[in-house]
Amino acid sequence: MTPPLQIEAMGSFFVGGRTVVVEGEPLRAIEMSRDVPAYTFDPNGTYAIDHAHVSYVIPVGASRVPVVFAHGGGMTGACWETTPDGRPGWLTSFLRAGWSCFVVDSVAVGRSGWCHLPGLSYGEPILRSEQECWTTFRIGPEEGYGARTAFPGSAFPVDALSALARQMAPRFITTSELAFAALQAAVEKIGRCVLIGHSQGGGFAARVASAMPGAVLATVLLEPHSLPARAVGPQLLVMGDNIERSEITAQLAPLWAHYRTTGPQVDVMDLPSLGQRGNSHAMMADLNSEAVSALIREWIEKTLTEAA
Amino acid sequence: MTPPLQIEAMGSFFVGGRTVVVEGEPLRAIEMSRDVPAYTFDPNGTYAIDHAHVSYVIPVGASRVPVVFAHGGGMTGACWETTPDGRPGWLTSFLRAGWSCFVVDSVAVGRSGWCHLPGLSYGEPILRSEQECWTTFRIGPEEGYGARTAFPGSAFPVDALSALARQMAPRFITTSELAFAALQAAVEKIGRCVLIGHSQGGGFAARVASAMPGAVLATVLLEPHSLPARAVGPQLLVMGDNIERSEITAQLAPLWAHYRTTGPQVDVMDLPSLGQRGNSHAMMADLNSEAVSALIREWIEKTLTEAA
């Protein structure tokens, strides 16, 4: 039987963003519900926008710096909670290993809310279909979607494709700089930490590591994109299987190869070469997620020990 | 020192909603990031929509039915995590008292994501300003906002008004039936439980209690609106202070008085008459939130014991 998790504290806070004042907008008549008479909504006023929500869980006796999780584009912090097929997510495996965990919902997704004010809209969002999850997340070939025929040896739980699609949130394509700023604000608030970023969140994590080298002690980049010009501090690039079989990751592979050469310590974790085969782009969702989590924790421990 | 929380499991899942297929829509050119060449977004495909995200924390030895938290309109499950001024929220106080807790992010807010597909849009959302938080949440009179002059004896932490505003999410005014359906789907999945609903979430909780009397063993309604015609099962109506000083709750008061008469057991917890003074509409955020939480847990314990 798994021993209980001993938790010292859990909760959440908001970081970053700004306050704006909306003025001169017309009132709007609203019929809210059966029991509340129609009321007049006044869009004018003072609003908090562009912030990010951070939830945290602190295990008893956590003696090391915390880990901060930055999800990928079009996803939310939910991707770390539980796998699409219902197994405990990396949040639980890191907590069980004694790490304090901070999970960011980036600007405009998840519990961060999003801005929809006159003249301050983030524009038109895009949403991922199951088909786009299937191909972009490198679960299988495009023609395999209908019959759920994944790449041979795929580690993704294909019956849970629809649950993976539910982890997707509308994605604004105008919020990258806001998301970077909010992740930086999160690290400013949390202090010295390890950053783990997935996909677009990996790009933000690498940029924050460049901007705050004293605070970010190690950075784990899960198939990242939008990387900065130079890698700062110890970093780990983690790649799954079948990289060449997706248009996007095939394009990213040479950028990753170049990125390795831009910093004093950029380690590479090529999962297939370590015996972890079939990983999709969503390696925290795959059937071997626990084994991948353990490999990453091992690198973090080793890296922090060497730096100490 | 506070003893550690002993947690058996934590995670999340999605409930309810449906799958839709989008066809015949034009492609859209996207410039996503610096490192990924412009790509063509295909909005056609299969999408999961209208579902709700539920996170859960199960303490060791939880022997009673779980508690399900349904937030109010324009908010997310974040309102139960931590108070705006940074104290532990009701999630922690219920966990410490040994209750398994399920926190719902309703349809279209928080980690549930929202639907923004051709022909399936939820319409134009509204967002609460600080001023609307101030008046609608009954913190103080309209003219008191600028100087943060709250009602005399207000229990709301007025310096944290901006943090309360950050807990607000864009609110679609077309999703009530979807939200009700998703809360019902949550209870179907969770099984026998106690429901706690705030404001609009109280209305949904009371409707689910009517629809599923065998599953909902007790219902706590925090200044609810959109109540059903009849109260089913033991229910508790919880009211804060200064009810008559807000237009909305002044209108709701006679509806609450009537609702009491529609069921065999609708108890009333008028907080000021119990010595808890100054509570705003967001009583889980107020300075006496722990005392209010304790009173509610006491009612739940008593009610479940009497029913057993």
Side-chain angles (χ1 to χ4, degrees):
Chain A
M1 205 179 122
T2 320
L5 266 169
Q6 310 264 341
I7 300 299
E8 187 177 302
M10 59 193 302
S12 65
F13 52 84
F14 293 87
V15 290
R18 62 192 175 116
T19 297
V20 295
V21 176
V22 174
E23 293 174 310
E25 292 293 325
L27 306 183
R28 179 175 161 203
I30 302 283
E31 181 75 51
M32 183 66 75
S33 73
R34 293 174 297 172
D35 288 345
V36 179
Y39 92 110
T40 303
F41 171 65
D42 183 354
N44 300 293
T46 306
Y47 293 87
I49 65 171
D50 302 346
H51 46 266
H53 174 272
V54 182
S55 60
Y56 61 88
V57 189
I58 314 291
V60 170
S63 58
R64 297 164 298 192
V65 298
V67 172
V68 180
F69 291 92
H71 61 75
M75 302 187 79
T76 77
C79 70
W80 312 108
E81 295 176 330
T82 295
T83 65
D85 59 339
R87 290 169 294 117
W90 283 10
L91 175 59
T92 296
S93 68
F94 273 75
L95 287 170
R96 288 206 176 279
W99 292 93
S100 295
C101 294
F102 289 72
V103 175
V104 178
D105 275 352
S106 192
V107 174
V109 298
R111 288 180 174 168
S112 299
W114 47 284
C115 174
H116 188 81
L117 294 169
L120 292 165
S121 165
Y122 295 145
E124 285 293 303
I126 57 177
L127 186 56
R128 264 195 204 104
S129 63
E130 286 191 3
Q131 288 86 343
E132 197 187 317
C133 290
W134 182 264
T135 53
T136 299
F137 279 55
R138 228 172 48 247
I139 298 168
E142 193 174 344
E143 65 277 12
Y145 164 76
R148 300 290 190 274
T149 307
F151 291 126
S154 168
F156 184 81
V158 289
D159 289 345
L161 178 65
S162 175
L164 176 69
R166 286 185 172 80
Q167 289 189 358
M168 303 297 152
R171 173 184 192 162
F172 296 99
I173 56 177
T174 56
T175 52
S176 294
E177 292 311 304
L178 299 174
F180 163 65
L183 185 60
Q184 188 164 346
V187 172
E188 275 162 12
K189 166 131 181 142
I190 295 164
R192 296 184 340 139
C193 64
V194 173
L195 271 181
I196 299 182
H198 175 229
S199 199
Q200 187 190 41
F204 297 142
R207 288 180 61 192
V208 172
S210 296
M212 307 175 70
V216 181
L217 304 191
T219 313
V220 177
L221 309 174
L222 313 170
E223 299 192 3
H225 66 81
S226 307
L227 292 163
R230 291 194 318 109
V232 174
Q235 303 203 358
L236 179 67
L237 272 169
V238 185
M239 274 90 81
D241 211 341
N242 300 304
I243 293 293
E244 298 299 325
R245 301 182 77 161
S246 143
E247 193 181 334
I248 290 178
T249 49
Q251 286 168 351
L252 287 171
L255 296 168
W256 294 331
H258 169 68
Y259 189 68
R260 289 183 65 176
T261 68
T262 68
Q265 189 198 341
V266 184
D267 294 335
V268 170
M269 185 177 280
D270 176 67
L271 290 171
S273 74
L274 297 172
Q276 297 299 330
R277 301 190 182 278
N279 276 110
S280 73
H281 183 54
M283 51 194 74
M284 74 292 286
D286 289 332
L287 293 165
N288 60 348
S289 60
E290 284 293 293
V292 176
S293 170
L295 286 170
I296 289 171
R297 283 183 275 115
E298 198 177 302
W299 178 86
I300 296 171
E301 302 261 14
K302 182 170 156 286
T303 301
L304 294 189
T305 305
E306 284 169 1
Chain B
M1 205 178 123
T2 320
L5 265 169
Q6 309 266 342
I7 300 300
E8 187 177 303
M10 59 193 303
S12 66
F13 52 84
F14 293 87
V15 290
R18 62 192 174 117
T19 296
V20 295
V21 176
V22 174
E23 292 174 311
E25 292 293 326
L27 306 183
R28 179 174 160 203
I30 301 283
E31 182 74 52
M32 183 65 75
S33 74
R34 294 174 295 170
D35 288 344
V36 180
Y39 92 110
T40 303
F41 172 66
D42 183 355
N44 301 292
T46 307
Y47 292 87
I49 64 171
D50 301 347
H51 45 267
H53 174 271
V54 182
S55 61
Y56 61 89
V57 188
I58 314 291
V60 169
S63 57
R64 298 163 297 192
V65 297
V67 173
V68 180
F69 291 92
H71 62 76
M75 301 187 81
T76 77
C79 69
W80 313 108
E81 295 176 330
T82 295
T83 65
D85 58 340
R87 290 169 293 116
W90 283 10
L91 175 58
T92 295
S93 68
F94 274 76
L95 287 171
R96 287 206 176 279
W99 293 93
S100 295
C101 293
F102 289 72
V103 175
V104 178
D105 275 352
S106 191
V107 175
V109 298
R111 289 180 174 168
S112 300
W114 47 284
C115 174
H116 188 79
L117 294 170
L120 292 166
S121 163
Y122 295 146
E124 285 293 304
I126 57 177
L127 185 56
R128 260 191 208 108
S129 63
E130 286 192 2
Q131 289 84 343
E132 197 187 317
C133 290
W134 182 263
T135 53
T136 299
F137 279 55
R138 226 171 49 247
I139 299 168
E142 192 174 343
E143 65 277 13
Y145 164 76
R148 301 289 190 275
T149 307
F151 290 127
S154 168
F156 183 81
V158 289
D159 290 345
L161 177 64
S162 175
L164 176 69
R166 286 185 173 79
Q167 289 188 357
M168 303 297 153
R171 174 184 191 160
F172 296 98
I173 56 176
T174 55
T175 52
S176 294
E177 292 311 305
L178 299 174
F180 163 65
L183 185 60
Q184 187 164 348
V187 172
E188 276 162 12
K189 166 133 180 137
I190 295 163
R192 296 184 339 139
C193 64
V194 173
L195 271 181
I196 299 182
H198 174 229
S199 199
Q200 186 190 39
F204 297 141
R207 287 179 62 193
V208 171
S210 295
M212 306 175 70
V216 181
L217 305 190
T219 313
V220 177
L221 309 173
L222 313 171
E223 299 191 5
H225 66 81
S226 307
L227 291 163
R230 291 195 319 108
V232 175
Q235 303 203 357
L236 178 68
L237 273 168
V238 183
M239 274 91 81
D241 211 341
N242 299 305
I243 293 294
E244 297 299 326
R245 301 183 77 160
S246 143
E247 193 181 334
I248 290 178
T249 49
Q251 286 169 349
L252 287 171
L255 296 168
W256 294 330
H258 169 70
Y259 189 69
R260 290 183 64 176
T261 67
T262 67
Q265 187 197 342
V266 184
D267 293 336
V268 170
M269 184 177 282
D270 176 66
L271 290 171
S273 74
L274 298 173
Q276 298 299 331
R277 300 191 182 278
N279 276 110
S280 73
H281 183 54
M283 52 193 74
M284 76 291 287
D286 288 333
L287 293 165
N288 60 348
S289 59
E290 284 293 293
V292 176
S293 170
L295 286 169
I296 289 170
R297 283 183 276 118
E298 197 178 302
W299 180 85
I300 296 171
E301 302 262 14
K302 181 171 157 285
T303 301
L304 294 189
T305 305
E306 284 170 1

